[in-house]
């Protein structure tokens, strides 16, 4: 055991810390995706970076930018895992999944989301009939904002004949890309992003933990395993093993940049 | 872990779900936000599916749409994960702790203790706080962005140096010989 004697301008320590190594040495470091100062810090310290890209293109671009910055900081880009937020509600059919979501949405005021949907569909006039598919005139008028993944998705759903309430139940305005549908549709989303290099994995969000974590485990995981894109069981014991990041004990000696 | 396989973590940010109305579902216990058994059950379900980790986000102030639901970040993530650690065997335990307020010795000690008692399953989501409400709870004004990240760099390096200060060469205590670990 050795003292640390490390002092910065804001914090410092003499040390040592009398806690022995764990089975993985020390905790894995996770940081949020950011830009500027935040990106610089994340590529220096993080094993896992968690991000909220709204499309495959955005995920790929951000993952690439992180890998490049990591190499510049003296890290192997393979040692940083980029995870994208994603949300899911599953059902035996898409209709079942939508009804599950609608049971939750029923407790919230639809007026705000409806006004927002009208704007995202590029409509001059507010939608007033939440349970009727858009009229032919409305469908002629809708126009997606070309840079906005949510707007593009809302327009697709309108053209597919879903009512405004059902479009909203597809979780188009959740803060991250979400799928409300069958286990196959959920697996398709994960596979498409993963195979496109838009993420090394995902931070899963579920509307209702009490039912949806179990649904995902029982219905989606087997599909991912069948497709060869998720492990069959834990191969190792530690979090470091589970996510495939290298051993580290103490400060990473490969980091070349000190405090800025 | 091979690169043909995706990593899956599950966000357990409150005890109910990501939808603000989840607590109102008839099958949900509306008091689950203080019920550790509920969080443990979610983690065990995720572990049954081989998910790599559970994740608990955090903010250090009263947060959420209080007209619709209870506050979002009420229970401390590290304390919560200590209980989850005892009730699970393999799944990773990732928790958020801000770099803006706590002394690195305290952060290093809590997180490594959790890592040791969970047999090496801990992830630390290290984030600088930015919200004025969080700084107000520590009697402070939010610093400029560069000062916030200066502190983050210092905290990360001091915490990791403390983690490394009990070297592997310290060995194990030997009962027969009556020798503890090598302290220096």
């Amino acid at each position: 055991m050795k003292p640390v004697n490390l002092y910065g301008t804001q914090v410092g320590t003499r040390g040592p810390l009398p806690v022995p190594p764990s089975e993985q040495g020390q905790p894995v470091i996770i940081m949020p995706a950011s830009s500027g100062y935040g990106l610089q810090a994340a590529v220096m310290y993080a094993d896992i970076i968690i991000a909220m890209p709204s499309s495959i293109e955005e995920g790929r671009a951000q993952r690439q930018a992180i890998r490049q910055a990591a190499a510049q900081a003296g890290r192997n880009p393979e040692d940083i895992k980029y995870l994208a937020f994603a949300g899911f509600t599953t059902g035996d059919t898409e209709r079942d999944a939508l009804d599950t979501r609608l049971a939750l949405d029923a407790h919230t005021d639809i007026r705000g989301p409806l006004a927002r949907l009208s704007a995202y569909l590029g409509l001059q006039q507010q939608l007033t009939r939440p349970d009727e598919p858009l009229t032919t005139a409305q469908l002629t008028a809708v126009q997606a904002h070309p840079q906005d993944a949510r707007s593009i998705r809302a327009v697709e759903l309108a053209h597919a004949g879903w009512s405004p309430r059902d479009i909203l139940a597809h979780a188009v305005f959740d803060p991250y890309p979400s799928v409300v549908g069958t286990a196959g549709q959920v697996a398709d989303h994960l596979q498409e992003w993963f195979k496109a290099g838009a993420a090394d994995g995902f931070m899963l969000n579920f509307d209702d933990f009490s039912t949806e974590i179990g649904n995902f485990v029982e219905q989606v995981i087997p599909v991912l395993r069948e497709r060869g894109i998720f492990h069959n069981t834990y191969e190792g014991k530690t979090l470091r093993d589970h996510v495939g990041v290298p051993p580290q004990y103490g400060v990473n000696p490969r980091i070349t940049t000190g405090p800025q | 872990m091979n690169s043909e396989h995706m990593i899956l973590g599950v966000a357990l940010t409150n005890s109910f779900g990501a939808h603000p109305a989840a607590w109102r579902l008839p099958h949900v216990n509306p008091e689950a936000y203080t019920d550790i058994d509920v969080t443990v059950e979610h983690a065990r379900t995720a572990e049954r599916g081989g998910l790599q980790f559970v994740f608990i986000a955090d903010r250090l102030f009263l947060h959420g749409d209080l007209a619709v639901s209870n506050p979002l970040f009420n229970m401390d993530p590290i304390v919560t994960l200590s209980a989850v650690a005892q009730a699970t065997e393999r799944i990773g335990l990732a928790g958020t702790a801000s770099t803006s307020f706590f002394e690195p010795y305290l952060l290093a000690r809590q997180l490594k203790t959790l890592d040791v008692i969970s047999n090496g399953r801990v992830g630390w989501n290290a984030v600088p706080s930015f919200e004025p409400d969080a700084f107000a709870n520590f009697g402070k004004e939010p610093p400029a962005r560069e000062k916030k990240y200066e502190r983050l760099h210092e905290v990360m390096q001091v915490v990791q140096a403390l983690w490394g200060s009990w070297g592997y060469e310290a060995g194990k205590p030997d009962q027969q010989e009556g020798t503890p670990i090598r302290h220096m």
Side-chain angles (χ1 to χ4, degrees), chain A residues 1 9-10 17 19 22 24 28 30 45 105 201-202 204 206 208-209 218 229 231 234 236 238 242 249-250, chain B residues 6-7 9 11 14 16 18-19 27 50-51 90 112 115 120 122 124 126 147 150 153-154 157 163 165-166 183:
Chain A
M1 244 191 290
T9 58
Q10 299 194 43
L17 175 72
V19 184
S22 74
Q24 64 173 354
V28 165
I30 304 167
Y45 307 110
D105 287 349
F202 301 89
L204 307 174
F206 299 107
D208 167 18
F209 296 152
E218 276 139 36
I229 51 177
H231 66 181
Y234 298 107
T238 68
H242 300 340
Y249 199 60
Chain B
M6 61 176 68
I7 297 164
N14 54 34
F16 303 113
H19 198 289
H27 58 266
L51 269 58
R90 304 300 278 277
K112 204 179 185 198
D115 202 29
V122 170
W124 173 26
K147 294 302 277 182
E150 177 188 75
H153 281 282
E154 291 182 5
Q157 295 187 19
W163 284 344
S165 67
W166 179 309
H183 290 287

